Amino acid sequence: MPKKDALSLGYQDWVAEMEALGEKRFRADQICGWLYKKRVFEWQLMSDIGLEMRSRLDELFRVEVPRLEKVVSSRRDGTKKFLWDFGGSSVESVAIAHPGRLTACLSTQVGCPLGCPFCATGQSGFERNMTVGEMVGQFLAMEARLGDIKNLVFMGMGEPMLNYDNVIGAVRNLNHPKMRGLGIRHITISTSGVVPGILRLAREGLGVRLAVSLHAPNDDLRDLLVPINAQYPLKELREALETYQEATGDRITIEYSLFDKVNDSVPMARQLGEYLKGLSVFINLIPGSCTGDARYVTSPPLQGERLCGDPVLHGVPGGGPDEQGGRCGRGMWPAQANA
Ligand code: SF4
């Protein structure tokens, strides 16, 4: 029988697995503590579990943390980009450094089917969805190298809402107090505007935060920059955001990557304000990070303003979310607005 993927199992799965082996519930707590809190990934090293049980665990379960291919560090701000090997596929995660805290940005798919023209991941096409264990593994593998990470955003390669069940599974594992215990308000799911996913998240009642990569204030431009807009145009997206906000009462982060002479004019800023009017949002203006079509170039900084720059997030439409994790929220224009 093939071994089960340990990092894809939820807490109740572990309880059930231990009961099936004739073990008490606390054995599930021990295992989750070793994997998620102590970040020990070899059964034989779990010293408070008897030798016989360790061998049994080894027979039945595999712990797959990704193999590190490469890590690139930004000298400017300490951000680290990790390239992992998942059985021959390369996937990226990013650890974004802030004074006193780290934010992890995880990938949710190998490749991406959405084809945003400024994004190399989108240009390379879609390979497959990532499992719960593969997403959890990215996070734990970064923590094993960097220590505790406080914030998490699903905003790397791929569209999280197209891998909804596994993303929610990873959120639950990382949030569960017997597992990683990461605060739910420190977790953000970022979407390019997949309306059914937003509506499902509104009903989920999880308390996780939502970010939307908008990048354009009208349908003509958004059809070009974020092609999923043809399927879920701005009117439909706006209605979904209203539903989400009514259901959760949560402020929504709007990610807006600025590309020179594409989406960065003052009239477009006004259109953006009109579009978001009445919603409680945090607008994160980000120097556009282009890894795809070279026609999309980062907007230059306004005179006298600081521009974050150094866009290292390949495949990531911008930096992290709002004040809890925003790598690039120190923007060109006032970064916060209640439209
Ligand atoms: Fe996919 Fe995000 Fe790239 Fe668009 S920007 S193609 S949603 S990974």
Side-chain angles (χ1 to χ4, degrees), residues 215-218 221 256-273 285 299-300 302 332-333:
H215 305 327
N218 61 64
L221 182 57
Y256 194 103
S257 292
L258 292 156
F259 295 107
D260 192 25
K261 299 183 183 66
V262 174
N263 64 352
D264 61 349
S265 68
V266 170
M268 283 196 191
R270 293 208 174 95
Q271 266 188 317
L272 179 67
L285 294 174
S299 296
L302 292 177
M332 303 163 64
W333 299 335

Side-chain angles (χ1 to χ4, degrees), residues 12-316:
Q12 289 308 329
D13 297 326
W14 276 116
V15 171
E17 292 285 352
M18 290 305 105
E19 280 172 1
L21 291 174
E23 294 286 318
K24 296 234 163 57
R25 190 184 186 95
F26 84 92
R27 192 68 81 199
D29 296 7
Q30 278 179 314
I31 292 169
C32 292
W34 279 107
L35 293 174
Y36 284 83
K37 295 200 163 76
K38 296 178 189 160
R39 300 183 281 264
V40 169
F41 307 125
E42 287 181 42
W43 301 115
Q44 295 305 336
L45 297 179
M46 300 184 181
S47 54
D48 58 0
I49 298 176
L51 281 176
E52 205 178 308
M53 186 60 192
R54 283 186 238 169
S55 299
R56 194 84 183 99
L57 290 169
D58 199 17
E59 279 165 26
L60 295 173
F61 304 98
R62 60 191 156 83
V63 185
E64 285 186 339
V65 279
R67 193 181 66 76
L68 183 65
E69 276 181 18
K70 193 166 69 172
V71 57
V72 180
S73 301
S74 161
R75 264 174 289 154
R76 191 184 53 77
D77 63 7
T79 292
K80 289 187 189 330
K81 184 168 71 167
F82 294 86
L83 191 66
W84 310 108
D85 172 34
F86 280 96
S89 302
S90 293
V91 167
E92 289 182 1
S93 321
V94 182
I96 303 153
H98 296 272
R101 70 185 198 279
L102 284 171
T103 295
C105 175
L106 303 187
S107 293
T108 56
Q109 297 181 312
V110 181
C112 181
L114 296 193
C116 303
F118 55 84
C119 168
T121 304
Q123 300 310 297
S124 64
F126 173 69
E127 218 173 287
R128 65 176 176 85
N129 282 333
M130 303 197 79
T131 65
V132 172
E134 287 173 329
M135 286 180 261
V136 166
Q138 290 173 58
F139 187 85
L140 295 180
M142 279 198 282
E143 281 203 320
R145 288 166 174 81
L146 303 174
D148 283 356
I149 295 175
K150 194 169 176 203
N151 301 306
L152 163 60
V153 55
F154 291 89
M155 200 192 199
M157 297 163 81
E159 165 54 57
M161 296 301 190
L162 297 182
N163 188 15
Y164 186 93
D165 289 332
N166 287 345
V167 169
I168 296 299
V171 168
R172 290 191 194 281
N173 283 10
L174 291 168
N175 169 246
H176 197 288
K178 300 279 190 185
M179 303 178 98
R180 175 56 181 80
L182 194 67
I184 198 73
R185 308 297 287 167
H186 291 262
I187 303 176
T188 300
I189 297 176
S190 176
T191 177
S192 54
V194 176
V195 163
I198 294 170
L199 296 176
R200 216 174 144 190
L201 193 64
R203 294 190 297 271
E204 201 76 54
L206 254 183
V208 70
R209 290 175 181 264
L210 174 70
V212 177
S213 294
L214 200 67
H215 305 327
N218 61 64
D219 279 323
D220 286 347
L221 182 57
R222 198 160 192 272
D223 283 349
L224 287 175
L225 279 179
V226 190
I228 192 75
N229 192 68
Q231 201 172 337
Y232 306 113
L234 283 170
K235 183 171 178 300
E236 213 176 307
L237 177 60
R238 162 83 201 203
E239 285 165 6
L241 297 182
E242 284 172 17
T243 303
Y244 179 88
Q245 206 144 66
E246 275 163 27
T248 65
D250 276 356
R251 192 175 63 175
I252 298 163
T253 296
I254 301 294
E255 307 285 352
Y256 194 103
S257 292
L258 292 156
F259 295 107
D260 192 25
K261 299 183 183 66
V262 174
N263 64 352
D264 61 349
S265 68
V266 170
M268 283 196 191
R270 293 208 174 95
Q271 266 188 317
L272 179 67
E274 276 302 310
Y275 177 70
L276 295 171
K277 205 171 189 169
L279 288 171
S280 174
V281 296
F282 180 98
I283 302 174
N284 198 10
L285 294 174
I286 305 152
S289 164
C290 183
T291 54
D293 187 331
R295 281 176 298 177
Y296 296 100
V297 176
T298 302
S299 296
L302 292 177
Q303 214 174 8
E305 297 283 336
R306 260 183 335 134
L307 178 61
C308 175
D310 190 21
V312 295
L313 306 186
H314 165 87
V316 177

